Amino acid sequence: MPPTLHEGNGQALHLESTLQDLPRYSFQIESSHAGWELAQVFEQHPLLPGVILVEQGHFLGMISRQRLLEYLIRPHGSDFFLKESLRVLYSYARCEPLVLLGSTPIIVAAQQALRRSPEFLNEPILVQVGSESFHLLNVHALNIAYWQIRGIETQVRYERTQAQMIQSDKMASLGRLIDGVAHEILDPISFIWGNLSHVTAYSNSLLKLLAAYETQLPNPPSGIVRLREELEADFLCQDLPQTIESIRAGADRLSKLAVSLQNFCHIDDVYPKPADLHELIDGILLLLKSRLTSEIQVIKHYDRLPPVPCYAGQLNQVLMNILSNAVDALINQAVSQQIEQDLTNRQNVAKSTDSISKPTIEITTQIRSISPVNNEKSRWVFISIADNGPGLSPEAQKQILESFSVKKRAAKETSLAASYQIITAKHGGKLYVHSRGTAPEESFTQCEEDICTLAKTTETRSTGTEFEIWLPLA
């Protein structure tokens, strides 16, 4: 059969292109044919990189155009090898070919081709397309495609870096704006706080004076009695301290909210600084208070933690992303339960609420020690944020794993992917995810060096989704 050229798919190359996308030759010949027959075919097809030898239909090996020319230019080589069968030439020119599957990515194939011995670097590559079916791929075509893809990859990285710089600049501008707003809020609050103590002292003095007048003048004139009734003096004496306390509580809440905004929009320094993780978590919960309806309860199990060196602003983003994820998962559940309860009340149907679990977010912090492996830190700060929602669907789990992967992160730049990057790359920590209904061997976690590893759990999870953050202690 004459050589056949397979053009590939004809589409533009991209980061995930495989060997099947490149032009390949299909040409095989029985080893019993003479050498001059192969030389004649090479002369008719100057771009043919080699030939696949078969013996009685079974794969024997490969002879490249370069190897044939090397043996023909030897003394008496053309007289000997052109007359003899290709089996004889193959016994002299035998070499171990590089065989790759057609689904092999071009980047991986080029790296394997470059690892060959120097004398075999120009040998064509055998692309396996069946059990005993092979195509010939010119290594120069592979190298050209490889450098094209590397150029595309460089362009993608450049565009992504530019986008990240623009996003960082936007976030910095937004952080400065919110920090200014929070500062403007704190200024009048400071006046309120500064005057509350005086208002409290003045009101207490006036109430004491009023009580003294009542003691010394048990029978006041009728005009004062009538004015006292109109002003509801007894109610004022009881309500004034409560009003002042309400003002104090509102000012305190507004002050904490403004401080939380300042901390959340904090622009991190070049080096990490010690921070109180509990204070960071409480600040994020305060910012999310408007979304945490009365149907969603938050349970905290705080251990005693030392100040943890971290980039507080970026860690705030991670906590916000994970807690927002948990709230989103529970809001629909809370609304459904509320609607079901309202319908039950309208129909006057007695229904036990014991079996209905209230939407809950459970936050746990601990200090944990593990056996050091590969010079890793042995003491870690453990943060668990778990909910009792419906859990992640298989599609959502796959999307999270792909967003954690270095190869696919550029195409799937999600909030959780950014969180993974902050925890692992910026803080040297670990981010694990466990979801409802996943078996122990299916529970999934972070990706290290482009390989998705599995987080082994002791038992199948029955409720919700849990995010685990591990931060090393200095």
Side-chain angles (χ1 to χ4, degrees):
M1 294 293 292
T4 303
L5 176 62
H6 301 272
E7 294 288 352
N9 60 9
Q11 298 179 357
L13 296 177
H14 51 85
L15 297 178
E16 298 179 3
S17 295
T18 63
L19 296 181
Q20 295 175 345
D21 300 325
L22 299 180
R24 309 173 310 279
Y25 284 92
S26 175
F27 177 52
Q28 62 183 27
I29 189 172
E30 283 285 341
S31 60
S32 58
H33 286 266
W36 65 267
E37 297 180 73
L38 177 59
Q40 191 175 21
V41 174
F42 280 154
E43 185 177 358
Q44 295 173 355
H45 300 84
L47 298 180
L48 184 64
V51 61
I52 298 172
L53 292 183
V54 293
E55 196 165 78
Q56 296 180 357
H58 297 287
F59 175 76
L60 178 63
M62 177 195 70
I63 297 179
S64 66
R65 175 190 291 268
Q66 179 178 341
R67 301 287 286 179
L68 175 62
L69 293 177
E70 287 178 359
Y71 281 91
L72 289 182
I73 63 176
R74 291 184 177 186
H76 308 290
S78 58
D79 296 334
F80 178 73
F81 290 110
L82 290 180
K83 295 178 182 179
E84 295 293 333
S85 65
L86 294 175
R87 188 183 301 106
V88 175
L89 175 61
Y90 180 67
S91 64
Y92 283 90
R94 181 195 300 269
C95 66
E96 190 68 26
L98 176 60
V99 182
L100 299 174
L101 295 176
S103 59
T104 305
I106 292 176
I107 295 179
V108 176
Q111 292 172 350
Q112 293 188 20
L114 290 173
R115 285 198 291 264
R116 294 183 294 179
S117 301
E119 63 269 21
F120 299 139
L121 286 179
N122 293 323
E123 290 291 299
I125 296 171
L126 291 183
V127 180
Q128 187 172 359
V129 293
S131 58
E132 287 194 4
S133 179
F134 300 92
H135 291 169
L136 292 159
L137 174 62
N138 193 328
V139 70
H140 299 295
L142 174 64
N143 290 333
I144 292 174
Y146 171 72
W147 287 112
Q148 287 178 349
I149 292 177
R150 290 301 301 268
I152 295 172
E153 185 179 15
T154 302
Q155 181 66 22
V156 169
R157 288 181 178 177
Y158 172 76
E159 292 176 355
R160 183 184 173 197
T161 302
Q162 290 294 105
Q164 288 179 344
M165 290 175 62
I166 294 173
Q167 182 67 18
S168 298
D169 185 62
K170 287 181 179 179
M171 291 299 295
S173 301
L174 180 62
R176 286 189 289 268
L177 176 63
I178 295 180
D179 183 69
V181 173
H183 183 73
E184 291 298 322
I185 294 174
L186 287 174
D187 275 347
I189 291 177
S190 62
F191 291 115
I192 296 174
W193 274 110
N195 291 314
L196 266 178
S197 58
H198 300 297
V199 171
T200 303
Y202 299 159
S203 61
N204 290 335
S205 299
L206 290 175
L207 290 177
K208 289 181 181 179
L209 179 61
L210 183 59
Y213 272 117
E214 290 178 349
T215 303
Q216 297 298 326
L217 299 173
N219 299 312
S222 60
I224 295 179
V225 173
R226 187 168 54 254
L227 180 61
R228 179 186 176 89
E229 292 176 354
E230 290 177 358
L231 296 178
E232 299 180 351
D234 294 336
F235 173 76
L236 289 179
C237 293
Q238 295 178 357
D239 191 58
L240 183 58
Q242 297 178 5
T243 302
I244 295 175
E245 190 60 32
S246 298
I247 296 174
R248 189 189 304 275
D252 181 54
R253 181 178 174 185
L254 193 57
S255 176
K256 289 181 179 178
L257 181 61
V259 172
S260 297
L261 281 174
Q262 285 183 321
N263 292 336
F264 180 73
C265 298
H266 175 73
I267 300 175
D268 288 316
D269 298 320
V270 178
Y271 301 102
K273 293 183 177 180
D276 186 350
L277 292 185
H278 295 159
E279 184 178 341
L280 297 182
I281 296 172
D282 292 339
I284 299 300
L285 290 175
L286 184 60
L287 294 179
L288 291 173
K289 193 172 183 63
S290 61
R291 300 187 62 201
L292 288 170
T293 62
S294 58
E295 289 80 13
I296 300 177
Q297 64 177 351
V298 178
I299 301 176
K300 304 175 186 177
H301 304 287
Y302 285 172
D303 198 358
R304 296 183 63 181
L305 300 182
V308 180
C310 65
Y311 297 92
Q314 297 186 22
L315 196 58
N316 272 327
Q317 295 179 27
V318 174
L319 296 172
M320 175 65 79
N321 293 336
I322 294 177
L323 286 170
S324 297
N325 232 14
V327 172
D328 291 338
L330 294 177
I331 281 180
N332 292 334
Q333 180 181 347
V335 171
S336 300
Q337 290 184 5
Q338 185 64 36
I339 293 175
E340 184 179 356
Q341 185 177 356
D342 292 343
L343 291 175
T344 302
N345 294 336
R346 289 180 184 178
Q347 296 173 359
N348 295 323
V349 178
K351 185 174 181 180
S352 174
T353 59
D354 296 338
S355 60
I356 302 177
S357 58
K358 188 173 183 179
T360 303
I361 298 176
E362 194 167 351
I363 304 174
T364 304
T365 62
Q366 292 176 347
I367 296 291
R368 291 191 177 182
S369 299
I370 59 176
S371 300
V373 179
N374 298 328
N375 296 324
E376 287 187 345
K377 298 289 185 181
S378 59
R379 297 181 70 239
W380 299 75
V381 173
F382 170 79
I383 307 172
S384 170
I385 301 176
D387 63 71
N388 62 344
L392 297 171
S393 64
E395 293 79 11
Q397 297 181 24
K398 182 179 179 181
Q399 290 177 0
I400 291 178
L401 280 177
E402 289 181 350
S403 69
F404 284 0
S405 172
V406 175
K407 292 181 179 178
K408 300 185 179 181
R409 191 180 302 145
K412 300 180 180 293
E413 191 66 34
T414 62
S415 60
L416 289 180
S419 302
Y420 169 82
Q421 183 74 2
I422 291 172
I423 294 297
T424 57
K426 198 72 175 178
H427 290 84
K430 302 177 185 294
L431 177 62
Y432 296 94
V433 186
H434 312 282
S435 186
R436 175 184 221 167
T438 53
E441 64 273 8
E442 295 173 344
S443 183
F444 59 99
T445 176
Q446 66 179 60
C447 303
E448 296 181 355
E449 298 178 356
D450 302 349
I451 301 176
C452 296
T453 57
L454 298 178
K456 304 298 182 181
T457 54
T458 55
E459 57 183 4
T460 301
R461 288 189 59 83
S462 60
T463 57
T465 304
E466 179 185 9
F467 288 85
E468 293 183 5
I469 300 174
W470 294 70
L471 297 175
L473 277 176

